[in-house]
Amino acid sequence: MKKTSTRLADGRELIYYDLRDDSVRDAVDRRPLEPTVTTSEVRRDPLLGDSVAIASHRQGRTYHPPADECPLCPSQGDRLSEIPDSSYDAVVFENRFPSLAGDSGRCEVVCFTSDHNASFADLTEEQARLVLDAWTDRTSELSHLPSVDQVFCFENRGAEIGVTLGHPHGQIYAYPFTTPRTALMLRSVAAHKEATGGENLFDAVLERELAGERVVLEGEHWVAFVPYAAHWPYEVHLYPRRRVPDLLALDEEARTEFPRVYLELLRRFDRIFGEGEPPTPYIAAWHQAPFGALEEFDGVNRDDFALHLELFTIRRTSGKLKFLAGSESGMNVFINDVPPERAAERLREVASS
């Protein structure tokens, strides 16, 4: 992998990740852009104890542009985009309309490929490995920023999810705090560790799932399963067999196997609802240990956390979506219409479709 860092016309950082070491990236952003002005502010809810990002400048962000005006495609002639070069393998750049900025963290866009009509599932294993390396590199770099406590790499795919740009891409949020979902996990890990005299909860969960009926696919270094208490109609968790706290700690064997396992998982997701159905909308979310202090989680350190990816769709059956209604949105109590065992069975069934 070759990494080349440059600047866009408004001062934002852009980084090319290339498969070839002899790639030259010297294209200049020719757009007449003014410096980016953001109004991002993080406010803490005194009742719930969580944080909300207030970012009014995002109201003007790009919204469903036609394909020939996509800001994530390479620049071609007089059609200038966020990527100055006429081609690329993978690119990461600071979001022009960030939810978090300055002392409130940082937001980046990750373009998986220059092919506007592709998806992550269409990537080769070599391309998918390059994206994994980019996620890892950005996690490392962002973790050293003084305002960053946790790094979250994710992909939103599909208009049903709320995606406003059709180009295959993901995002990275660098939060100035430990996110509520991660905090819940760490509290559960701490309680389990104390109750069992030191057993790790993530290890116990993985062991139970490996012995059960919800495993979707297994590799030598990775395991994918539908969790016992899945929140979403089709939800799969992908774990490395060797517990590590973050992407940085993955060994070379796990990195090498990841593209094959993950691409197969994504391709199965697209086959859940049968032939002729539109691509399955999904969210793919990497969970990594926070880089900040963990004193509030008694007896827990970073190595107690288990890196894993959670992949889920809001489509519950053909032509129908799972909406977060009163119980989910009002009380955070999920009601799942698809039994996890049946979801796992279906994801195994489509392996040879």
Side-chain angles (χ1 to χ4, degrees):
M1 179 190 77
K2 181 180 180 182
K3 174 183 175 183
T4 306
S5 179
T6 184
R7 292 283 171 179
L8 296 173
D10 56 7
R12 288 176 294 132
E13 184 178 20
L14 179 143
I15 306 164
Y16 293 97
Y17 292 90
D18 284 296
L19 293 168
R20 293 172 54 96
D21 289 337
D22 59 354
S23 298
V24 176
R25 299 298 183 185
D26 55 6
V28 176
D29 185 3
R30 294 181 283 126
R31 297 172 298 170
L33 298 180
E34 296 294 327
T36 301
V37 178
T38 63
T39 57
S40 179
E41 175 188 0
V42 173
R43 298 183 182 181
R44 188 165 181 80
D45 186 320
L47 294 180
L48 298 180
D50 59 8
S51 298
V52 177
I54 309 297
S56 60
H57 63 278
R58 285 174 52 80
Q59 286 282 37
R61 65 188 185 275
T62 308
Y63 187 79
H64 292 299
D68 60 356
E69 296 179 14
C70 175
L72 305 185
C73 288
S75 293
Q76 298 289 341
D78 292 332
R79 193 188 68 76
L80 306 178
S81 73
E82 289 281 65
I83 296 91
D85 216 324
S86 58
S87 67
Y88 65 84
D89 292 332
V91 167
V92 176
F93 61 87
E94 288 184 74
N95 198 320
R96 190 177 178 186
F97 304 97
S99 301
L100 306 165
D103 293 339
S104 297
R106 176 159 157 152
C107 292
E108 299 183 340
V109 176
V110 184
C111 297
F112 305 140
T113 171
S114 61
D115 185 352
H116 181 84
N117 297 311
S119 69
F120 201 115
D122 295 323
L123 300 183
T124 65
E125 290 187 16
E126 185 181 33
Q127 289 174 306
R129 170 60 190 264
L130 181 65
V131 175
L132 174 64
D133 289 342
W135 283 331
T136 304
D137 180 70
R138 296 315 301 153
T139 296
S140 175
E141 293 291 329
L142 293 170
S143 70
H144 290 95
L145 297 179
S147 62
V148 172
D149 211 43
Q150 185 173 355
V151 179
F152 175 45
C153 307
F154 65 100
E155 180 190 2
N156 297 329
R157 192 267 192 110
E160 300 95 327
I161 297 295
V163 174
T164 58
L165 296 176
H167 196 103
H169 73 288
Q171 299 182 65
I172 302 175
Y173 276 23
Y175 298 102
F177 50 80
T178 297
T179 62
R181 188 173 177 85
T182 303
L184 285 173
M185 292 184 194
L186 290 169
R187 292 188 187 103
S188 295
V189 169
H192 185 84
K193 189 175 185 179
E194 182 178 6
T196 61
E199 182 182 64
N200 183 273
L201 178 57
F202 286 108
D203 292 349
V205 167
L206 184 56
E207 182 179 358
R208 182 178 72 174
E209 295 294 356
L210 282 170
E213 57 183 317
R214 290 178 298 275
V215 173
V216 173
L217 64 92
E218 296 184 60
E220 184 179 353
H221 303 283
W222 294 88
V223 179
F225 59 87
V226 177
Y228 170 74
H231 289 57
W232 299 94
Y234 291 91
E235 174 182 341
V236 177
H237 293 189
L238 179 62
Y239 276 66
R241 290 182 184 271
R242 182 178 69 87
R243 173 166 44 92
V244 295
D246 51 40
L247 289 166
L248 303 173
L250 286 174
D251 59 29
E252 183 56 32
E253 289 79 9
R255 292 181 185 281
T256 299
E257 186 182 74
F258 171 79
R260 178 181 64 80
V261 174
Y262 187 48
L263 290 172
E264 171 63 19
L265 195 56
L266 291 179
R267 290 162 186 166
R268 291 191 192 189
F269 251 60
D270 272 343
R271 297 195 290 262
I272 292 173
F273 304 104
E275 295 295 328
E277 287 291 320
T280 302
Y282 65 74
I283 293 175
W286 279 110
H287 291 261
Q288 306 191 77
F291 290 93
L294 299 178
E295 285 84 357
E296 64 179 292
F297 310 106
D298 295 339
V300 172
N301 55 56
R302 293 193 78 249
D303 290 335
D304 289 321
F305 194 86
L307 167 77
H308 63 283
L309 183 141
E310 297 185 8
L311 174 69
F312 60 90
T313 179
I314 62 171
R315 186 178 293 164
R316 56 187 175 87
T317 190
S318 180
K320 297 179 181 178
L321 301 180
K322 165 65 179 177
F323 291 101
L324 299 189
S327 185
E328 291 89 354
S329 295
M331 283 293 162
N332 201 28
V333 177
F334 276 67
I335 301 169
N336 190 351
D337 305 294
V338 180
E341 293 73 22
R342 174 55 191 150
E345 182 182 14
R346 178 58 183 158
L347 284 161
R348 291 193 297 268
E349 287 175 351
V350 298
S352 58
S353 298

